[in-house]
mmCIF file with all atom_site columns, all heavy atoms in Angstrom:
data_model
loop_
_atom_site.group_PDB
_atom_site.id
_atom_site.type_symbol
_atom_site.label_atom_id
_atom_site.label_alt_id
_atom_site.label_comp_id
_atom_site.label_asym_id
_atom_site.label_entity_id
_atom_site.label_seq_id
_atom_site.pdbx_PDB_ins_code
_atom_site.Cartn_x
_atom_site.Cartn_y
_atom_site.Cartn_z
_atom_site.occupancy
_atom_site.B_iso_or_equiv
_atom_site.pdbx_formal_charge
_atom_site.auth_seq_id
_atom_site.auth_comp_id
_atom_site.auth_asym_id
_atom_site.auth_atom_id
_atom_site.pdbx_PDB_model_num
ATOM 1   N N   . VAL A 1 91  ? -176.139 153.090 -84.140 1.00 98.00 ? 91  VAL A N   1
ATOM 2   C CA  . VAL A 1 91  ? -177.320 152.327 -83.548 1.00 98.00 ? 91  VAL A CA  1
ATOM 3   C C   . VAL A 1 91  ? -177.611 153.077 -82.287 1.00 98.00 ? 91  VAL A C   1
ATOM 4   O O   . VAL A 1 91  ? -176.813 153.126 -81.400 1.00 98.00 ? 91  VAL A O   1
ATOM 5   C CB  . VAL A 1 91  ? -176.900 150.815 -83.359 1.00 98.00 ? 91  VAL A CB  1
ATOM 6   C CG1 . VAL A 1 91  ? -178.107 150.162 -82.692 1.00 98.00 ? 91  VAL A CG1 1
ATOM 7   C CG2 . VAL A 1 91  ? -176.476 150.084 -84.672 1.00 98.00 ? 91  VAL A CG2 1
ATOM 8   N N   . GLY A 1 93  ? -180.291 153.528 -79.085 1.00 98.00 ? 93  GLY A N   1
ATOM 9   C CA  . GLY A 1 93  ? -181.446 152.837 -78.178 1.00 98.00 ? 93  GLY A CA  1
ATOM 10  C C   . GLY A 1 93  ? -181.606 153.582 -76.884 1.00 98.00 ? 93  GLY A C   1
ATOM 11  O O   . GLY A 1 93  ? -181.182 154.765 -76.831 1.00 98.00 ? 93  GLY A O   1
ATOM 12  N N   . GLU A 1 94  ? -182.160 152.915 -75.923 1.00 97.00 ? 94  GLU A N   1
ATOM 13  C CA  . GLU A 1 94  ? -182.393 153.552 -74.622 1.00 97.00 ? 94  GLU A CA  1
ATOM 14  C C   . GLU A 1 94  ? -181.127 153.367 -73.808 1.00 97.00 ? 94  GLU A C   1
ATOM 15  O O   . GLU A 1 94  ? -180.354 152.369 -74.159 1.00 97.00 ? 94  GLU A O   1
ATOM 16  C CB  . GLU A 1 94  ? -183.552 152.813 -73.921 1.00 97.00 ? 94  GLU A CB  1
ATOM 17  C CG  . GLU A 1 94  ? -184.892 153.040 -74.533 1.00 97.00 ? 94  GLU A CG  1
ATOM 18  C CD  . GLU A 1 94  ? -185.621 154.349 -73.889 1.00 97.00 ? 94  GLU A CD  1
ATOM 19  O OE1 . GLU A 1 94  ? -184.909 155.314 -73.792 1.00 97.00 ? 94  GLU A OE1 1
ATOM 20  O OE2 . GLU A 1 94  ? -186.815 154.331 -73.854 1.00 97.00 ? 94  GLU A OE2 1
ATOM 21  N N   . ASP A 1 95  ? -180.960 154.192 -72.815 1.00 97.00 ? 95  ASP A N   1
ATOM 22  C CA  . ASP A 1 95  ? -179.904 153.991 -71.913 1.00 97.00 ? 95  ASP A CA  1
ATOM 23  C C   . ASP A 1 95  ? -180.215 152.961 -70.901 1.00 97.00 ? 95  ASP A C   1
ATOM 24  O O   . ASP A 1 95  ? -180.151 153.289 -69.692 1.00 97.00 ? 95  ASP A O   1
ATOM 25  C CB  . ASP A 1 95  ? -179.457 155.303 -71.307 1.00 97.00 ? 95  ASP A CB  1
ATOM 26  C CG  . ASP A 1 95  ? -178.038 155.350 -70.748 1.00 97.00 ? 95  ASP A CG  1
ATOM 27  O OD1 . ASP A 1 95  ? -177.331 154.276 -70.939 1.00 97.00 ? 95  ASP A OD1 1
ATOM 28  O OD2 . ASP A 1 95  ? -177.759 156.363 -70.097 1.00 97.00 ? 95  ASP A OD2 1
ATOM 29  N N   . ASP A 1 96  ? -180.514 151.699 -71.277 1.00 98.00 ? 96  ASP A N   1
ATOM 30  C CA  . ASP A 1 96  ? -180.964 150.786 -70.298 1.00 98.00 ? 96  ASP A CA  1
ATOM 31  C C   . ASP A 1 96  ? -180.745 149.386 -70.882 1.00 98.00 ? 96  ASP A C   1
ATOM 32  O O   . ASP A 1 96  ? -180.102 149.252 -71.979 1.00 98.00 ? 96  ASP A O   1
ATOM 33  C CB  . ASP A 1 96  ? -182.376 150.833 -69.909 1.00 98.00 ? 96  ASP A CB  1
ATOM 34  C CG  . ASP A 1 96  ? -183.309 150.751 -71.020 1.00 98.00 ? 96  ASP A CG  1
ATOM 35  O OD1 . ASP A 1 96  ? -183.058 150.317 -71.997 1.00 98.00 ? 96  ASP A OD1 1
ATOM 36  O OD2 . ASP A 1 96  ? -184.540 151.183 -70.748 1.00 98.00 ? 96  ASP A OD2 1
ATOM 37  N N   . GLY A 1 97  ? -181.298 148.380 -70.339 1.00 98.00 ? 97  GLY A N   1
ATOM 38  C CA  . GLY A 1 97  ? -180.984 146.930 -70.734 1.00 98.00 ? 97  GLY A CA  1
ATOM 39  C C   . GLY A 1 97  ? -181.502 146.633 -72.069 1.00 98.00 ? 97  GLY A C   1
ATOM 40  O O   . GLY A 1 97  ? -181.194 145.578 -72.736 1.00 98.00 ? 97  GLY A O   1
ATOM 41  N N   . THR A 1 98  ? -182.510 147.414 -72.651 1.00 98.00 ? 98  THR A N   1
ATOM 42  C CA  . THR A 1 98  ? -183.049 147.100 -73.917 1.00 98.00 ? 98  THR A CA  1
ATOM 43  C C   . THR A 1 98  ? -182.162 147.461 -75.153 1.00 98.00 ? 98  THR A C   1
ATOM 44  O O   . THR A 1 98  ? -182.408 147.154 -76.253 1.00 98.00 ? 98  THR A O   1
ATOM 45  C CB  . THR A 1 98  ? -184.481 147.903 -74.140 1.00 98.00 ? 98  THR A CB  1
ATOM 46  O OG1 . THR A 1 98  ? -184.195 149.242 -74.157 1.00 98.00 ? 98  THR A OG1 1
ATOM 47  C CG2 . THR A 1 98  ? -185.382 147.572 -73.038 1.00 98.00 ? 98  THR A CG2 1
ATOM 48  N N   . HIS A 1 99  ? -181.098 148.226 -74.802 1.00 98.00 ? 99  HIS A N   1
ATOM 49  C CA  . HIS A 1 99  ? -180.170 148.576 -75.990 1.00 98.00 ? 99  HIS A CA  1
ATOM 50  C C   . HIS A 1 99  ? -179.424 147.460 -76.447 1.00 98.00 ? 99  HIS A C   1
ATOM 51  O O   . HIS A 1 99  ? -178.831 146.602 -75.754 1.00 98.00 ? 99  HIS A O   1
ATOM 52  C CB  . HIS A 1 99  ? -179.129 149.682 -75.350 1.00 98.00 ? 99  HIS A CB  1
ATOM 53  C CG  . HIS A 1 99  ? -178.457 150.405 -76.508 1.00 98.00 ? 99  HIS A CG  1
ATOM 54  N ND1 . HIS A 1 99  ? -177.563 149.864 -77.397 1.00 98.00 ? 99  HIS A ND1 1
ATOM 55  C CD2 . HIS A 1 99  ? -178.520 151.805 -76.844 1.00 98.00 ? 99  HIS A CD2 1
ATOM 56  C CE1 . HIS A 1 99  ? -177.117 150.692 -78.193 1.00 98.00 ? 99  HIS A CE1 1
ATOM 57  N NE2 . HIS A 1 99  ? -177.688 151.964 -77.919 1.00 98.00 ? 99  HIS A NE2 1
ATOM 58  N N   . PRO A 1 100 ? -179.321 147.290 -77.741 1.00 98.00 ? 100 PRO A N   1
ATOM 59  C CA  . PRO A 1 100 ? -178.584 146.156 -78.361 1.00 98.00 ? 100 PRO A CA  1
ATOM 60  C C   . PRO A 1 100 ? -177.150 146.245 -78.000 1.00 98.00 ? 100 PRO A C   1
ATOM 61  O O   . PRO A 1 100 ? -176.552 147.320 -77.889 1.00 98.00 ? 100 PRO A O   1
ATOM 62  C CB  . PRO A 1 100 ? -178.794 146.258 -79.794 1.00 98.00 ? 100 PRO A CB  1
ATOM 63  C CG  . PRO A 1 100 ? -179.263 147.615 -80.143 1.00 98.00 ? 100 PRO A CG  1
ATOM 64  C CD  . PRO A 1 100 ? -179.934 148.185 -78.879 1.00 98.00 ? 100 PRO A CD  1
ATOM 65  N N   . LEU A 1 127 ? -171.500 146.656 -79.104 1.00 98.00 ? 127 LEU A N   1
ATOM 66  C CA  . LEU A 1 127 ? -172.149 148.077 -79.097 1.00 98.00 ? 127 LEU A CA  1
ATOM 67  C C   . LEU A 1 127 ? -172.024 148.600 -77.719 1.00 98.00 ? 127 LEU A C   1
ATOM 68  O O   . LEU A 1 127 ? -172.126 147.905 -76.708 1.00 98.00 ? 127 LEU A O   1
ATOM 69  C CB  . LEU A 1 127 ? -173.500 147.956 -79.588 1.00 98.00 ? 127 LEU A CB  1
ATOM 70  C CG  . LEU A 1 127 ? -173.733 147.379 -80.993 1.00 98.00 ? 127 LEU A CG  1
ATOM 71  C CD1 . LEU A 1 127 ? -175.247 147.371 -81.286 1.00 98.00 ? 127 LEU A CD1 1
ATOM 72  C CD2 . LEU A 1 127 ? -172.946 148.162 -82.006 1.00 98.00 ? 127 LEU A CD2 1
ATOM 73  N N   . SER A 1 128 ? -171.910 149.918 -77.628 1.00 98.00 ? 128 SER A N   1
ATOM 74  C CA  . SER A 1 128 ? -172.071 150.646 -76.352 1.00 98.00 ? 128 SER A CA  1
ATOM 75  C C   . SER A 1 128 ? -173.537 151.225 -76.348 1.00 98.00 ? 128 SER A C   1
ATOM 76  O O   . SER A 1 128 ? -174.082 151.539 -77.418 1.00 98.00 ? 128 SER A O   1
ATOM 77  C CB  . SER A 1 128 ? -171.006 151.640 -76.192 1.00 98.00 ? 128 SER A CB  1
ATOM 78  O OG  . SER A 1 128 ? -169.787 151.075 -76.234 1.00 98.00 ? 128 SER A OG  1
ATOM 79  N N   . ARG A 1 129 ? -174.071 151.496 -75.236 1.00 98.00 ? 129 ARG A N   1
ATOM 80  C CA  . ARG A 1 129 ? -175.342 152.165 -75.145 1.00 98.00 ? 129 ARG A CA  1
ATOM 81  C C   . ARG A 1 129 ? -175.102 153.563 -75.654 1.00 98.00 ? 129 ARG A C   1
ATOM 82  O O   . ARG A 1 129 ? -174.153 154.250 -75.348 1.00 98.00 ? 129 ARG A O   1
ATOM 83  C CB  . ARG A 1 129 ? -175.731 152.327 -73.719 1.00 98.00 ? 129 ARG A CB  1
ATOM 84  C CG  . ARG A 1 129 ? -176.179 151.023 -73.016 1.00 98.00 ? 129 ARG A CG  1
ATOM 85  C CD  . ARG A 1 129 ? -176.998 151.189 -71.772 1.00 98.00 ? 129 ARG A CD  1
ATOM 86  N NE  . ARG A 1 129 ? -177.237 149.988 -71.060 1.00 98.00 ? 129 ARG A NE  1
ATOM 87  C CZ  . ARG A 1 129 ? -176.567 149.513 -70.005 1.00 98.00 ? 129 ARG A CZ  1
ATOM 88  N NH1 . ARG A 1 129 ? -175.546 150.288 -69.545 1.00 98.00 ? 129 ARG A NH1 1
ATOM 89  N NH2 . ARG A 1 129 ? -176.924 148.426 -69.439 1.00 98.00 ? 129 ARG A NH2 1
ATOM 90  N N   . ASP A 1 130 ? -176.068 153.993 -76.628 1.00 97.00 ? 130 ASP A N   1
ATOM 91  C CA  . ASP A 1 130 ? -175.965 155.206 -77.363 1.00 97.00 ? 130 ASP A CA  1
ATOM 92  C C   . ASP A 1 130 ? -177.308 155.980 -77.522 1.00 97.00 ? 130 ASP A C   1
ATOM 93  O O   . ASP A 1 130 ? -177.879 155.845 -78.564 1.00 97.00 ? 130 ASP A O   1
ATOM 94  C CB  . ASP A 1 130 ? -175.307 155.001 -78.683 1.00 97.00 ? 130 ASP A CB  1
ATOM 95  C CG  . ASP A 1 130 ? -175.017 156.332 -79.459 1.00 97.00 ? 130 ASP A CG  1
ATOM 96  O OD1 . ASP A 1 130 ? -174.912 157.283 -78.849 1.00 97.00 ? 130 ASP A OD1 1
ATOM 97  O OD2 . ASP A 1 130 ? -174.754 156.145 -80.716 1.00 97.00 ? 130 ASP A OD2 1
ATOM 98  N N   . PRO A 1 131 ? -177.743 156.531 -76.369 1.00 97.00 ? 131 PRO A N   1
ATOM 99  C CA  . PRO A 1 131 ? -179.114 157.059 -76.438 1.00 97.00 ? 131 PRO A CA  1
ATOM 100 C C   . PRO A 1 131 ? -179.285 158.351 -77.307 1.00 97.00 ? 131 PRO A C   1
ATOM 101 O O   . PRO A 1 131 ? -180.299 158.730 -77.632 1.00 97.00 ? 131 PRO A O   1
ATOM 102 C CB  . PRO A 1 131 ? -179.482 157.377 -74.926 1.00 97.00 ? 131 PRO A CB  1
ATOM 103 C CG  . PRO A 1 131 ? -178.012 157.529 -74.257 1.00 97.00 ? 131 PRO A CG  1
ATOM 104 C CD  . PRO A 1 131 ? -177.130 156.579 -75.074 1.00 97.00 ? 131 PRO A CD  1
ATOM 105 N N   . SER A 1 132 ? -178.115 158.948 -77.652 1.00 95.00 ? 132 SER A N   1
ATOM 106 C CA  . SER A 1 132 ? -178.211 160.134 -78.550 1.00 95.00 ? 132 SER A CA  1
ATOM 107 C C   . SER A 1 132 ? -177.725 160.069 -79.839 1.00 95.00 ? 132 SER A C   1
ATOM 108 O O   . SER A 1 132 ? -177.667 160.994 -80.585 1.00 95.00 ? 132 SER A O   1
ATOM 109 C CB  . SER A 1 132 ? -177.500 161.301 -77.724 1.00 95.00 ? 132 SER A CB  1
ATOM 110 O OG  . SER A 1 132 ? -176.142 160.976 -77.527 1.00 95.00 ? 132 SER A OG  1
ATOM 111 N N   . LEU A 1 135 ? -172.328 157.685 -81.480 1.00 97.00 ? 135 LEU A N   1
ATOM 112 C CA  . LEU A 1 135 ? -171.291 156.752 -81.865 1.00 97.00 ? 135 LEU A CA  1
ATOM 113 C C   . LEU A 1 135 ? -171.372 156.163 -83.126 1.00 97.00 ? 135 LEU A C   1
ATOM 114 O O   . LEU A 1 135 ? -172.375 155.613 -83.623 1.00 97.00 ? 135 LEU A O   1
ATOM 115 C CB  . LEU A 1 135 ? -171.433 155.422 -80.784 1.00 97.00 ? 135 LEU A CB  1
ATOM 116 C CG  . LEU A 1 135 ? -171.144 155.922 -79.327 1.00 97.00 ? 135 LEU A CG  1
ATOM 117 C CD1 . LEU A 1 135 ? -171.355 154.690 -78.484 1.00 97.00 ? 135 LEU A CD1 1
ATOM 118 C CD2 . LEU A 1 135 ? -169.842 156.581 -79.052 1.00 97.00 ? 135 LEU A CD2 1
ATOM 119 N N   . TYR A 1 137 ? -169.837 153.383 -85.859 1.00 98.00 ? 137 TYR A N   1
ATOM 120 C CA  . TYR A 1 137 ? -169.079 152.261 -86.026 1.00 98.00 ? 137 TYR A CA  1
ATOM 121 C C   . TYR A 1 137 ? -168.626 152.083 -87.430 1.00 98.00 ? 137 TYR A C   1
ATOM 122 O O   . TYR A 1 137 ? -169.430 151.781 -88.334 1.00 98.00 ? 137 TYR A O   1
ATOM 123 C CB  . TYR A 1 137 ? -169.869 150.942 -85.576 1.00 98.00 ? 137 TYR A CB  1
ATOM 124 C CG  . TYR A 1 137 ? -170.320 150.968 -84.086 1.00 98.00 ? 137 TYR A CG  1
ATOM 125 C CD1 . TYR A 1 137 ? -171.708 151.477 -83.854 1.00 98.00 ? 137 TYR A CD1 1
ATOM 126 C CD2 . TYR A 1 137 ? -169.638 150.596 -83.050 1.00 98.00 ? 137 TYR A CD2 1
ATOM 127 C CE1 . TYR A 1 137 ? -172.077 151.601 -82.488 1.00 98.00 ? 137 TYR A CE1 1
ATOM 128 C CE2 . TYR A 1 137 ? -170.058 150.655 -81.695 1.00 98.00 ? 137 TYR A CE2 1
ATOM 129 C CZ  . TYR A 1 137 ? -171.286 151.169 -81.558 1.00 98.00 ? 137 TYR A CZ  1
ATOM 130 O OH  . TYR A 1 137 ? -171.612 151.279 -80.191 1.00 98.00 ? 137 TYR A OH  1
ATOM 131 N N   . PHE A 1 158 ? -178.505 144.355 -73.427 1.00 98.00 ? 158 PHE A N   1
ATOM 132 C CA  . PHE A 1 158 ? -177.793 144.553 -72.137 1.00 98.00 ? 158 PHE A CA  1
ATOM 133 C C   . PHE A 1 158 ? -178.648 143.937 -70.917 1.00 98.00 ? 158 PHE A C   1
ATOM 134 O O   . PHE A 1 158 ? -178.519 144.395 -69.827 1.00 98.00 ? 158 PHE A O   1
ATOM 135 C CB  . PHE A 1 158 ? -177.411 145.940 -71.796 1.00 98.00 ? 158 PHE A CB  1
ATOM 136 C CG  . PHE A 1 158 ? -176.285 146.412 -72.696 1.00 98.00 ? 158 PHE A CG  1
ATOM 137 C CD1 . PHE A 1 158 ? -176.538 147.089 -73.833 1.00 98.00 ? 158 PHE A CD1 1
ATOM 138 C CD2 . PHE A 1 158 ? -174.964 146.291 -72.249 1.00 98.00 ? 158 PHE A CD2 1
ATOM 139 C CE1 . PHE A 1 158 ? -175.506 147.694 -74.667 1.00 98.00 ? 158 PHE A CE1 1
ATOM 140 C CE2 . PHE A 1 158 ? -173.895 146.731 -72.988 1.00 98.00 ? 158 PHE A CE2 1
ATOM 141 C CZ  . PHE A 1 158 ? -174.162 147.303 -74.179 1.00 98.00 ? 158 PHE A CZ  1
ATOM 142 N N   . GLY A 1 159 ? -179.389 142.944 -71.243 1.00 98.00 ? 159 GLY A N   1
ATOM 143 C CA  . GLY A 1 159 ? -180.016 142.153 -70.133 1.00 98.00 ? 159 GLY A CA  1
ATOM 144 C C   . GLY A 1 159 ? -181.544 142.191 -70.042 1.00 98.00 ? 159 GLY A C   1
ATOM 145 O O   . GLY A 1 159 ? -182.119 141.519 -69.262 1.00 98.00 ? 159 GLY A O   1
#
Side-chain angles (χ1 to χ4, degrees):
V91 180
E94 292 273 32
D95 197 5
D96 63 16
T98 64
H99 196 295
L127 303 181
S128 300
R129 290 196 188 100
D130 185 16
S132 56
L135 299 176
Y137 299 94
F158 286 97

